[in-house]
Amino acid sequence: MVKTVGVLGAGQMGNGIAHVFAQFGYQVIIYDIAQAQLDKALATIRQNLERQAKKGAIAESLVAETMGRIRSTTEMSDLAPVDFAVEAVTEFEQLKLEIFRKLDGIVQPGAILASNTSSIPITKIASVTKRPDQVIGMHFMNPVPVMKLVEVIRGHATSDETFARTSELVAKLEKEMAVSQDYPGFIVNRVLIPMINEAIFALYEGIATAEDIDKGMKLGTNQPMGPLTLADFIGLDTVLAIANVLYDGFKDPKYRPCPLLVKMVNAGHLGRKSGRGFYTY
Ligand code: CAA
């Protein structure tokens, strides 16, 4: 039975993942190379828990209880006792491969190693470990405490037992699962990123203003955010990284990232997190 969960990476996704596991009773150890990032993640988790308590979504006492279940560390070796690990570091293949190689040598045998990757092949990640049958994709959506979906991706070697144990965890977190085969972008980003990229092309070609593109999609198709607002929310560097995974993975020009997206990332205009993207924050 899973009691202790390791979370690797204390960014936007990592803090949300640590939040929900701790909220539903798991002991959580969150790891990042930067202490400042860990401090920021813990502050964000507390803020989001307080927001949930204020709205009456969770009991007031759960804020302190949940925080009490989270420990942070800058030493990956502290993850040795976890029963389940979720990696949520930056979306770069070489970095993920390096982390899984190292993690595999640290975490006790029998523990499942999951990746929150939004697009990198699980089969490839699994191949650098000595337990490819115990590696799986567990893709949470942002903001993690709010979004109902977890995409679960079976790699080529993922065992039925690993899949069953991961499905159980999704249910324990009171989330819904959509199961995908291991092909670039899985389900959600296969459909979402081309839509966002097309919205950027529409802006690039002068079809309409950013405001009108978003208004059209938001009010015309009942999406909670327009595609350019959503791109700023996800982070333009992440959107570009996923677009490149689709483009490289399928070798199909229909997935080519819009030059405007590339230029904005080069300029460091990454959306909400950098204060500037399609909009100013
Ligand atoms: N933690 C806890 N609660 C949060 C939260 C957080 N981080 N962010 C928002 N909330 C809560 C709010 O407290 C509020 O609660 P109530 O409904 O109880 O009042 C609720 O969520 C709605 O929030 P807001 O009122 O602040 O604002 P909103 O109605 O505009 O909703 C949103 C915000 C939930 C983010 C909504 O705009 C939305 O659903 N946007 C689309 C999100 C989306 O598409 N995410 C997927 C991105 S793609 C991805 O993640 C995959 C990938 O690989 C790129």
Side-chain angles (χ1 to χ4, degrees):
M1 215 178 72
V2 175
K3 287 204 173 110
T4 308
V5 175
V7 177
L8 294 97
Q12 188 164 258
M13 297 306 289
N15 83 59
I17 294 167
H19 174 140
V20 292
F21 274 107
Q23 180 186 336
F24 287 94
Y26 296 92
Q27 296 296 323
V28 171
I29 308 174
I30 182 165
Y31 157 82
D32 198 285
I33 48 169
Q35 185 62 48
Q37 186 79 359
L38 288 167
D39 295 343
K40 196 171 141 200
L42 291 179
T44 303
I45 295 170
R46 180 179 292 280
Q47 235 173 41
N48 285 331
L49 284 165
E50 280 166 358
R51 159 150 69 165
Q52 286 170 298
K54 214 166 166 185
K55 291 267 168 75
I58 61 169
E60 192 68 51
S61 58
L62 200 58
V63 177
E65 267 173 49
T66 302
M67 292 310 294
R69 284 193 277 265
I70 307 176
R71 277 190 292 142
S72 68
T73 180
T74 54
E75 298 293 333
M76 204 195 283
S77 56
D78 287 341
L79 298 181
V82 307
D83 313 298
F84 194 96
V86 187
E87 166 278 318
V89 305
T90 316
E91 203 63 8
F92 290 122
E93 189 171 309
Q94 283 318 313
L95 177 64
K96 298 221 189 237
L97 298 184
E98 198 182 299
I99 283 189
F100 269 81
R101 214 174 274 127
K102 199 166 161 197
L103 188 64
D104 185 41
I106 288 173
V107 172
Q108 56 175 325
I112 293 174
L113 309 183
S115 175
N116 178 60
T117 180
S118 48
S119 58
I120 294 166
I122 299 302
T123 305
K124 202 160 183 185
I125 291 175
S127 75
V128 302
T129 72
K130 295 194 179 69
R131 60 179 107 188
D133 55 319
Q134 289 167 345
V135 175
I136 193 162
M138 196 180 193
H139 181 211
F140 290 83
M141 305 292 136
N142 183 25
V144 181
V146 180
M147 302 295 283
K148 272 282 161 213
L149 185 78
V150 179
E151 214 175 358
V152 174
I153 303 99
R154 299 189 68 149
H156 197 63
T158 307
S159 71
D160 290 343
E161 196 198 329
T162 298
F163 177 71
R165 285 172 63 194
T166 306
S167 314
E168 263 171 45
L169 276 184
V170 173
K172 287 267 169 59
L173 301 178
E174 297 183 1
K175 298 213 182 276
E176 293 285 331
M177 169 172 80
V179 184
S180 174
Q181 294 298 320
D182 189 19
Y183 289 103
F186 316 135
I187 303 167
V188 173
N189 284 324
R190 174 79 178 267
V191 177
L192 177 68
I193 298 298
M195 181 193 73
I196 289 175
N197 195 45
E198 201 60 30
I200 303 171
F201 266 111
L203 179 67
Y204 174 67
E205 291 168 11
I207 306 289
T209 60
E211 287 79 4
D212 277 355
I213 292 167
D214 276 349
K215 193 185 206 181
M217 295 308 291
K218 188 176 165 185
L219 302 183
T221 70
N222 264 7
Q223 300 184 23
M225 292 173 160
L228 301 174
T229 304
L230 182 56
D232 277 355
F233 181 70
I234 294 169
L236 301 194
D237 50 344
T238 301
V239 172
L240 178 60
I242 302 170
N244 276 323
V245 167
L246 293 175
Y247 183 56
D248 296 339
F250 290 114
K251 306 276 187 282
D252 185 334
K254 82 173 174 181
Y255 296 111
R256 75 196 188 287
C258 178
L260 175 60
L261 173 62
V262 176
K263 191 160 89 173
M264 289 176 74
V265 171
N266 285 340
H269 295 177
L270 307 181
R272 235 184 242 204
K273 65 183 167 191
S274 74
R276 191 161 166 196
F278 294 105
Y279 301 93
T280 306
Y281 300 90

